[in-house]
Amino acid sequence: FAGYISQVLKNYTDHACDGEYVSLRCPHRTTISIQSSFYGRIVPSHQMCPSRYPHSYATLIKEDVACSAGTSLQKMLDECQDRRSCQFLVNSRLFGADPCPGTGKYLIVWYKCRPNEYKSKVACEDDKLRLSCKKSMVIAIYSAVFGRTQGGSLECPYQNLGMPMIECQSATALQLMIKRCHGKRSCSIYASTYEFGDPCYPGIQKHLNVIYTCDNSPFLLPVDETQPPALNSSMEPVGVSTEMALLSNILAAYAFIT
């Protein structure tokens, strides 16, 4: 289960050159959630996806390193969103009109693996957010955002006080929510700058949006960090407490790296 959680929290990136297959895949009980996509070319071919034409031919045409297809995100959403896996051949015909004929292009996709069943809760700035699961189940945090997103929040409508609608997010929100709530049956936290810092300009209203699941896996039970893990003579972990400590360390390390 530690591997499952680390895969769910991870941001994935995949790429493929023209004429190659791109393949996206998520673990069991999760589906693909496309975050962003790019199709075109912004770096020379000697840095990424070399030209498939002979060098002599390539010198006859000027390579375009400032071209992109505006349809790439929508195409990836159509092909892969909410599926456990998807695979297709990359070529310019998939994305409509060729943004730069004669130039070899590539596709880059950023995605996450979203749990099939999840809950979402929002708290406006300075309100308390409460998360809870049924008896014998515990919280598994998937994502957390504190700040202001371009789409805003229906629960916390943006009041225009002369400030432009800009996006700003705390870099530590996910790490804090994992530390505060992951592996517990219930928890609460204030959606405040005291907890998360202020990632926005003064006067911009913020909100906290947390996506989580309730799981009955024993490996998500809280860990007593004051007790060192027990090891046998072969240095193998003994009992569930050590497995939980391992999961806690994996999550802490991942959050720190992020």
Side-chain angles (χ1 to χ4, degrees), residues 14 75 85 88 122 140 144 152 163 167 172 182 231 233 241:
D14 200 1
K75 181 61 178 177
S85 64
F88 58 88
V122 175
M163 297 293 293
E167 184 170 321
T172 60
H182 196 85
L231 300 175
S233 58
S241 63

Side-chain angles (χ1 to χ4, degrees), residues 5-109:
I5 287 295
S6 65
Q7 285 179 298
V8 167
L9 292 174
K10 182 179 178 182
N11 290 301
Y12 293 88
T13 303
D14 200 1
H15 81 279
C17 310
D18 276 342
E20 296 178 350
Y21 282 92
V22 64
S23 180
L24 280 57
R25 189 175 303 276
C26 282
H28 182 59
R29 293 168 56 201
T30 68
T31 54
I32 296 168
S33 176
I34 301 295
Q35 305 295 300
S36 186
S37 175
F38 170 85
Y39 177 74
R41 178 171 291 280
I42 55 174
V43 296
S45 58
H46 69 268
Q47 294 183 13
M48 187 171 185
C49 294
S51 173
R52 304 176 68 183
Y53 299 109
H55 180 71
S56 57
Y57 176 81
T59 58
L60 297 177
I61 60 174
K62 182 174 176 59
E63 189 174 59
D64 189 344
V65 293
C67 85
S68 63
T71 58
S72 65
L73 177 58
Q74 187 58 53
K75 181 61 178 177
M76 291 306 305
L77 290 171
D78 293 341
E79 293 288 338
C80 301
Q81 184 76 354
D82 296 329
R83 300 181 181 181
R84 188 181 169 194
S85 64
C86 69
Q87 179 176 320
F88 58 88
L89 185 67
V90 175
N91 61 70
S92 60
R93 293 187 297 274
L94 288 171
F95 303 96
D98 193 331
C100 44
T103 294
K105 294 166 283 293
Y106 50 85
L107 173 69
I108 306 177
V109 184

